[in-house]
Amino acid sequence: MTGRVFIVLLLGIVASAALTQWLAVGERTRAIERYRDFHALERAEQLITTADVLPAASRPTYLRVAGRGTVKLERTDLAMAKALPPTDFSTILQQRVGPTITLGPLAERPLECDQPRTSRDFFAPSQWRGTCETMTVQLTDGEIMKLSVLPPRSPPPAQHSEWLAMLPFLLSIAGLAYLVTRMTVRPLRTLAQAAKDLGNDINHPPVVLSGAAEIRQASAAFNAMQARIRQHIQQRTEMLAAITHDLQTPLTRMRLRLEKVRDEELQQRLIDDLSAMQQMVKEGLDLARSMDSSETMQALDLDALLDSVCSDATDVGQSVELRGRAAMALMGRPLAIRRCLMNLIDNAVKYGHYAHVSVERLVGAARIRIRDGGPGIDQDQMARVFEPFYRVESSRSRASGGTGLGLTIARNIAEQHGGSVVLANHAEGGLEVTLVVPEYYAGR
């Protein structure tokens, strides 16, 4: 976003400066043209009136000396022009020289009028747009001459490029755009980082209220939202904990009373149902705890954590094999990460008889794959197995036990740590669970 804001702001300022420069150059050019037309009018009047009062014998010498500029008066063999309408320049000039001298615009246009002009200004026009024409002049004694009004001479070439002259201006604009961009984007970065920290730790310190009034208002609203979310999670966890605690007593009494049932088959069924209820209550509390982020975040050695979890599973008789090394650190909550890995391994062993765990390091993350030897899951049920209390109606269902919360808890914990859990049926059979967790970089 910083780059886009910087580019848009820089282009906007440059476009505004270019438009201003174009308007300024246009106005300056028009002023020069008006001044040049006035000067040409004064010069033409001077040439004509002086030539009119001079004797005919002296006129060639005068015209040779005075006709070196861009307004030239010279003798001609042309007849007096009559048919063409007067131009603005000829009309004003006629009023100045008086009725004794007659002016007649010519149809021919001097070649200099259409020649391109060199300019030091990038926005200046390439051709002269002021007065550029010829006309016949009949003096008082009847002699006919030709008056040519030509464009002014081009300015001398510049000693340096126009772009080099604009370079300090462009650099100052770029610096200004960069400073404004940083001032604009910095509060957004702060809020984005706060949102990221909130996802990792609900008890993260609130955002410091600073900056403009709008930014302080947004930060205050963010802090209020964080407080409400933390309160809702705490209330829900306390409610589930209270329900679990209160249910333990009647469930225990029911178990004691079931011992008095004489029908052994009925007694065993009731005890199994009661055990399932107790397991559901326990895992319901685990689900609530998986969404609670009150545990302190700390840097963890992923390889050591995996080795510990797999060793514990092997010690209790589960068939678990670990391969590969990540050689990276993970920022997380130790108990929550252990619960996530244990749930995934327990599911693999429970429904697929064994768990082959492999870990590899990616760019900025680690990928943990847990494959079992079960029948797999239908593709249309891959997403639903993450729903609370949902169990696949196959061999991975009630016959194997469980409440349908293991994957839900594992996914909640992974997402709290910026990771993800994905299921896929392996090409050689069995279900493969892929857990991706981000790498921890010190100082970030």
Side-chain angles (χ1 to χ4, degrees), residues 351-368:
Y351 301 118
H353 312 298
Y354 63 83
H356 290 171
V357 182
S358 63
V359 58
E360 58 181 336
R361 185 171 181 174
L362 305 177
V363 179
R367 179 167 56 194
I368 304 169

Side-chain angles (χ1 to χ4, degrees), residues 5-210:
V5 173
F6 175 74
I7 292 298
V8 170
L9 185 59
L10 179 60
L11 292 180
I13 296 177
V14 171
S16 300
L19 178 60
T20 303
Q21 181 70 6
W22 177 71
L23 294 175
V25 170
E27 181 61 28
R28 184 179 63 188
T29 302
R30 287 189 292 271
I32 293 175
E33 291 170 355
R34 289 192 297 266
Y35 171 79
R36 180 60 184 171
D37 290 348
F38 175 78
H39 174 75
L41 190 64
E42 292 283 338
R43 180 62 176 164
E45 179 187 0
Q46 181 184 14
L47 288 174
I48 293 173
T49 54
T50 303
D52 185 58
V53 299
L54 285 176
S58 302
R59 287 173 184 169
T61 303
Y62 168 72
L63 294 178
R64 186 171 56 253
V65 175
R68 295 178 180 178
T70 56
V71 181
K72 298 181 180 180
L73 184 64
E74 54 190 347
R75 288 185 170 185
T76 181
D77 297 332
L78 297 175
M80 190 66 187
K82 297 180 180 179
L84 294 180
T87 62
D88 294 338
F89 184 84
S90 64
T91 301
I92 299 175
L93 183 58
Q94 182 67 70
Q95 295 174 357
R96 287 189 170 217
V97 299
T100 59
I101 300 175
T102 305
L103 305 178
L106 294 175
E108 65 175 298
R109 181 177 174 87
L111 297 177
E112 293 84 351
C113 297
D114 299 323
Q115 291 180 354
R117 295 169 50 81
T118 58
S119 175
R120 291 175 294 177
D121 201 311
F122 180 75
F123 298 98
S126 60
Q127 288 186 349
W128 175 253
R129 298 179 301 186
T131 301
C132 186
E133 57 185 85
T134 58
M135 65 187 70
T136 55
V137 181
Q138 185 176 7
L139 301 178
T140 305
D141 59 2
E143 184 178 1
I144 298 177
M145 295 187 177
K146 183 174 74 171
L147 178 69
S148 300
V149 182
L150 305 178
R153 297 182 180 90
S154 299
Q159 298 297 326
H160 54 79
S161 173
E162 177 188 2
W163 294 106
L164 292 178
M166 294 181 60
L167 185 60
F169 174 70
L170 295 176
L171 291 178
S172 62
I173 286 180
L176 176 62
Y178 177 73
L179 292 177
V180 173
T181 302
R182 287 197 59 183
M183 293 174 58
T184 304
V185 176
R186 184 183 301 171
L188 299 180
R189 283 183 176 177
T190 302
L191 286 178
Q193 184 62 39
K196 181 179 179 181
D197 295 338
L198 176 63
N200 295 331
D201 183 9
I202 192 63
N203 295 313
H204 193 273
V207 180
V208 178
L209 302 182
S210 62

Side-chain angles (χ1 to χ4, degrees), residues 105-328:
L106 294 175
E108 65 175 298
R109 181 177 174 87
L111 297 177
E112 293 84 351
C113 297
D114 299 323
Q115 291 180 354
R117 295 169 50 81
T118 58
S119 175
R120 291 175 294 177
D121 201 311
F122 180 75
F123 298 98
S126 60
Q127 288 186 349
W128 175 253
R129 298 179 301 186
T131 301
C132 186
E133 57 185 85
T134 58
M135 65 187 70
T136 55
V137 181
Q138 185 176 7
L139 301 178
T140 305
D141 59 2
E143 184 178 1
I144 298 177
M145 295 187 177
K146 183 174 74 171
L147 178 69
S148 300
V149 182
L150 305 178
R153 297 182 180 90
S154 299
Q159 298 297 326
H160 54 79
S161 173
E162 177 188 2
W163 294 106
L164 292 178
M166 294 181 60
L167 185 60
F169 174 70
L170 295 176
L171 291 178
S172 62
I173 286 180
L176 176 62
Y178 177 73
L179 292 177
V180 173
T181 302
R182 287 197 59 183
M183 293 174 58
T184 304
V185 176
R186 184 183 301 171
L188 299 180
R189 283 183 176 177
T190 302
L191 286 178
Q193 184 62 39
K196 181 179 179 181
D197 295 338
L198 176 63
N200 295 331
D201 183 9
I202 192 63
N203 295 313
H204 193 273
V207 180
V208 178
L209 302 182
S210 62
E214 295 79 4
I215 300 300
R216 293 198 301 270
Q217 184 178 3
S219 300
F222 185 88
N223 292 338
M225 178 192 68
Q226 178 181 1
R228 288 194 298 269
I229 294 175
R230 182 166 54 240
Q231 182 181 7
H232 292 333
I233 293 176
Q234 182 179 1
Q235 289 177 349
R236 185 187 61 181
T237 304
E238 292 176 352
M239 178 184 66
L240 290 176
I243 293 175
T244 302
H245 179 271
D246 292 344
L247 284 176
Q248 292 296 332
T249 301
L251 289 176
T252 303
R253 287 200 302 266
M254 290 177 63
R255 180 177 290 274
L256 293 175
R257 290 172 181 174
L258 285 178
E259 299 295 335
K260 299 180 181 180
V261 176
R262 296 181 179 180
D263 189 338
E264 294 183 359
E265 182 179 358
L266 176 60
Q267 182 188 47
Q268 187 60 41
R269 290 180 179 179
L270 293 175
I271 291 176
D272 292 342
D273 290 340
L274 187 60
S275 299
M277 292 175 60
Q278 289 177 322
Q279 184 66 20
M280 291 179 65
V281 170
K282 178 180 177 299
E283 293 196 8
L285 182 58
D286 290 340
L287 175 62
R289 288 173 177 171
S290 70
M291 301 183 68
D292 183 16
S293 56
S294 58
E295 188 182 358
T296 304
M297 299 280 288
Q298 56 183 283
L300 306 173
D301 187 334
L302 182 58
D303 292 325
L305 182 62
L306 279 172
D307 184 71
S308 174
V309 173
C310 293
S311 298
D312 291 345
T314 303
D315 291 342
V316 296
Q318 294 180 337
S319 178
V320 179
E321 178 185 356
L322 174 62
R323 292 176 297 178
R325 289 184 60 82
M328 58 166 266

